[in-house]
């Protein structure tokens, strides 16, 4: 009986250890790698455990930032970021804004101010990185920067006019995938 329990403990330890190793490998994976779907599943599981809109909103903005970081890492490896990655950035930014619109008005500045600072830093990082690339490789970064600029304008609007911000995003308003001058002004659908 002791030998059987010992074997069961070893098998259990190996299973738990391999799952932990998989999670560690998946954490640093990039789009296109076999571990990337595991990374996304773990992120979705973490999101599903968050119940309050402030924390959910922060998490979506953090995931958008993580995706833009993946864009840079892909480019450093000589790979072009693809449309599904751009769509994920757009999704997380829009979810972050939609959830922010659900936050009580007195809590909105406490949520949006750190987001504004994060967007400023991320936009600067993307612009700096974009200048290191040749013109053909810049297009996805221009699109991502267009989205970040639009979200920045929306956040500024949320800080200045919280009711307009809440009304826009609570009624299905979204940030579109666009490039620089092609981006519609905030508040237009």
């Amino acid at each position: 009986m002791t030998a059987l329990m010992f074997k069961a403990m070893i098998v259990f330890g190996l299973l738990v250890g391999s799952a932990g190793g998989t999670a560690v490998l998946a954490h640093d994976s990039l789009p296109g790698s076999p571990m990337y779907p595991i990374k996304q599943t773990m992120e979705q599981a973490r999101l599903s455990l968050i119940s309050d809109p402030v924390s959910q909103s922060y998490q979506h903005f953090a995931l958008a930032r993580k995706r833009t970081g993946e864009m840079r890492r892909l480019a450093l490896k000589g790979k072009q970021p693809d449309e599904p990655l751009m769509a994920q950035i757009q999704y997380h930014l829009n979810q972050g804004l939609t959830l922010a619109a659900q936050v009580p008005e007195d809590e909105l500045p406490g949520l949006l101010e750190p987001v504004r600072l994060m967007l400023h830093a991320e936009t600067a990082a993307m612009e700096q990185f974009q200048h290191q690339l040749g013109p053909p490789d810049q297009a996805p970064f221009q699109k991502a920067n267009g989205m970040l600029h639009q979200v920045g304008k929306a956040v500024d609007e949320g800080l200045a006019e919280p009711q307009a911000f809440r009304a826009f995003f609570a009624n299905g308003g979204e940030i579109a995938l666009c490039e620089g001058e092609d981006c519609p002004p905030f508040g237009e659908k």
Side-chain angles (χ1 to χ4, degrees):
M1 184 74 162
T2 308
L4 182 59
M5 288 191 59
F6 180 72
K7 288 178 184 178
M9 289 175 57
I10 289 176
V11 169
F12 179 75
L14 289 172
L15 288 174
V16 169
S18 66
T22 301
V24 169
L25 289 173
H27 183 267
D28 290 329
S29 66
L30 290 172
S33 79
M35 301 302 279
Y36 196 72
I38 295 168
K39 176 181 182 173
Q40 290 182 305
T41 300
M42 291 185 326
E43 290 170 351
Q44 287 302 95
R46 274 188 229 113
L47 265 174
S48 70
L49 296 174
I50 302 170
S51 60
D52 82 289
V54 172
S55 297
Q56 287 178 332
S57 181
Y58 275 131
Q59 187 63 27
H60 277 287
F61 286 119
L63 289 172
R65 187 175 196 177
K66 186 180 256 190
R67 299 291 93 88
T68 58
E70 290 170 356
M71 285 181 68
R72 292 190 295 272
R73 289 177 48 214
L74 282 169
L76 287 172
K77 292 182 176 230
K79 297 179 180 176
Q80 188 77 291
D82 59 8
E83 285 302 317
L85 181 56
M86 301 299 291
Q88 288 177 41
I89 294 168
Q90 182 180 8
Y91 168 77
H92 288 300
L93 290 171
N94 280 318
Q95 285 299 110
L97 291 168
T98 300
L99 289 160
Q102 297 173 20
V103 171
E105 196 167 322
D106 63 325
E107 293 180 36
L108 196 56
L111 167 63
L112 292 182
E113 187 56 37
V115 169
R116 186 183 70 76
L117 295 172
M118 181 276 296
L119 289 167
H120 179 73
E122 194 59 26
T123 300
M126 292 290 280
E127 287 173 356
Q128 182 180 11
F129 189 82
Q130 182 179 328
H131 291 299
Q132 298 172 11
L133 301 172
D137 297 326
Q138 291 181 352
F141 291 90
Q142 290 169 338
K143 286 182 182 180
N145 254 346
M147 283 189 287
L148 292 172
H149 279 292
Q150 277 193 295
V151 173
K153 288 177 185 176
V155 167
D156 288 342
E157 179 74 15
L159 289 165
E161 297 289 334
Q163 292 159 337
F165 171 86
R166 291 162 63 94
F168 180 75
F169 289 105
N171 292 312
E174 290 189 337
I175 299 302
L177 188 59
C178 60
E179 295 180 42
E181 302 295 319
D182 296 335
C183 295
F186 170 74
E188 290 184 12
K189 290 186 183 181

